[in-house]
Every structure is written in C-alpha cells, then in structure tokens.
Amino acid sequence: MTQPYYETMYILRPDIPEEEVETHVAKYRDLVVEAGAEVLDTQMRGKRRLAYPIAKHREGIYVQLNHSGDGQQVAVLERAMRLSEDVIRYLTVIQDGPMPPPRSVPGAAVEVAPTEPAAV
C-alpha cells in the first residue's frame, strides 16, 4: 500500500520576472520542509492561458508542488500563498496511490545521449 501525498498547484502572476518565480518556488518548498514535511517533486508547468480572467490576468505561471507529511504543512503553505500578492490561485489535494513520473514541459531543454553508429 502506498502512502498518500499532497499535490499543491498554484498560479503566479504572469508579469513577474523569472528570478522572482524561482524565489517563490524556493520559498514555498522551504515552508513545507520547515513544517516537518518532505518535498517529493516540484514542476514548473510554465505560462498558460487561464480559462477565465483572474484579477484582470488572462495568463498565469503554473507550478506544481508534491509533498508528503502529516497534513499540518498544508495550512502553513496555503496561508503564505493567501497572503502573497503574486499568487492568484492555489489548490491542494490529497493523492492516494503512486506518484506519477515527472512530465516534460514543452520548450524545456532535453538531453539526448549520443548513440553509437551501427556496425555494418
């Protein structure tokens, strides 16, 4: 039987610089660790168009944070996101089952191992 884990998806404002996005990602990852939980995975989903305008924004930067713990970290994490002006939406759900493998983001650099030429 697999242990349940939490998946927090949050959307950042689209007009913040890339360095600030990384700062937010690190800040929320550190909050989870300080609350006594373990960060399993962090995925940048990139800038996407929103289904409907949120606070006059039509796009947002999506970030997914998977973490496991006793559940106390969720309140700490969501309170920090609620107080941040850069987070326009967030949602945490509990997942039961194995964690899915990381998905590749379009436009991300992918390393390809060199192949040996076939012997003739």
Side-chain angles (χ1 to χ4, degrees):
M1 183 172 171
T2 60
Q3 181 169 348
Y5 65 95
Y6 297 89
E7 181 177 288
T8 302
M9 179 72 78
Y10 57 98
I11 306 172
L12 298 170
R13 285 187 0 229
D15 56 351
I16 60 177
E18 184 69 30
E19 307 84 44
E20 201 170 325
V21 171
E22 295 298 327
T23 303
H24 282 290
V25 170
K27 175 176 117 177
Y28 297 129
R29 198 176 322 136
D30 293 343
L31 275 173
V32 169
V33 172
E34 288 172 13
E38 177 188 3
V39 174
L40 302 173
D41 189 21
T42 302
Q43 296 181 23
M44 291 288 300
R45 298 292 181 158
K47 189 182 287 191
R48 296 183 180 188
R49 185 162 180 82
L50 301 173
Y52 54 89
I54 301 173
K56 299 183 181 178
H57 297 291
R58 295 198 152 299
E59 292 182 326
I61 301 169
Y62 284 69
V63 183
Q64 179 180 340
L65 176 65
N66 295 334
H67 47 98
S68 65
D70 59 2
Q72 301 298 319
Q73 77 275 11
V74 175
V76 173
L77 182 63
E78 287 189 348
R79 182 178 192 283
M81 289 181 179
R82 185 172 46 251
L83 295 174
S84 174
E85 294 178 359
D86 291 333
V87 178
I88 56 177
R89 279 289 190 273
Y90 60 88
L91 178 68
T92 301
V93 294
I94 189 165
Q95 298 287 339
D96 197 14
M99 198 169 86
R103 294 173 34 190
S104 63
V105 177
V110 177
E111 287 189 31
V112 178
T115 58
E116 299 270 334
V120 184

